[in-house]
Amino acid sequence: MTEPKEMSTAASGEMTDLRLIELADRAREASYSPYSCFSVGAALLCADGRVYTGANIEVSSYTPTICAERVAIFKAVNDGVRDFTAIAISGGPHGDVTYSCSPCGVCRQVMAEFCSPDFRIILKTEDGCAAYTLADLLPLAFGKGDLKK
Ligand code: THU
């Protein structure tokens, strides 16, 4: 089996937040978003340095639409990867490369399923990027711990 083309490694040096944003920018090009005209790309950094990317995919009946972040996370989980460090998000109206896109609530919950509270979420800003933790963006999270007897 060949290595998925979306997967890259940090072999050329330590991954920086800005480099991860660049990978999210590139991932955004694969967005299929003819209904909202809002394209999103995500780049998920794994603990071993691998990066999984995703883009949002829309469906005309709307409900099956999936966000870029979940595409990246589910691709990694499906490959057996469970240890994640950070995710960078690049999204906005088609053609707007400066927009700062924050993850939706559903994606935050999926992050809480697979990532620790200190997992870093990197968003675009006017002059570069800013990092938040999952705990910042999903306080008082419901999680798997709540279902343990
Ligand atoms: N979307 C994402 O992919 N990620 C986000 O963080 C916010 C929203 C997508 C879903 C839908 O295809 C479009 O953006 C508009 O909501």
Side-chain angles (χ1 to χ4, degrees):
M1 202 167 102
T2 55
E3 191 173 89
K5 67 174 169 29
E6 304 87 348
M7 196 161 66
S8 59
T9 65
S12 54
E14 193 66 18
M15 180 59 70
T16 64
D17 289 357
L18 276 176
R19 173 77 184 123
L20 207 57
I21 284 283
E22 280 173 18
L23 293 174
D25 281 337
R26 203 188 302 163
R28 186 177 167 186
E29 292 166 16
S31 168
Y32 176 75
S33 44
Y35 305 109
S36 71
C37 296
F38 191 100
S39 53
V40 185
L44 175 69
L45 178 63
C46 307
D48 63 5
R50 278 185 287 176
V51 176
Y52 280 84
T53 60
N56 59 327
I57 301 168
E58 299 183 346
V59 177
S60 58
S61 56
Y62 296 164
T63 315
T65 291
I66 185 166
C67 292
E69 297 90 324
R70 275 176 284 148
V71 170
I73 293 168
F74 291 161
K75 280 166 67 179
V77 170
N78 188 245
D79 276 357
V81 185
R82 293 286 190 281
D83 203 356
F84 306 120
T85 306
I87 193 166
I89 302 165
S90 166
H94 286 181
D96 184 343
V97 295
T98 60
Y99 194 89
S100 180
C101 179
S102 184
C104 81
V106 172
C107 289
R108 293 178 198 205
Q109 189 67 41
V110 170
M111 290 173 198
E113 185 68 30
F114 297 107
C115 310
S116 59
D118 64 351
F119 176 72
R120 297 172 70 252
I121 299 165
I122 303 157
L123 307 182
K124 282 190 175 182
T125 61
E126 269 180 15
D127 51 359
C129 62
Y132 301 84
T133 65
L134 180 57
D136 289 332
L137 299 193
L138 191 64
L140 294 175
F142 180 88
K144 55 189 119 177
D146 290 295
L147 299 179
K148 293 216 169 86
K149 295 185 180 130

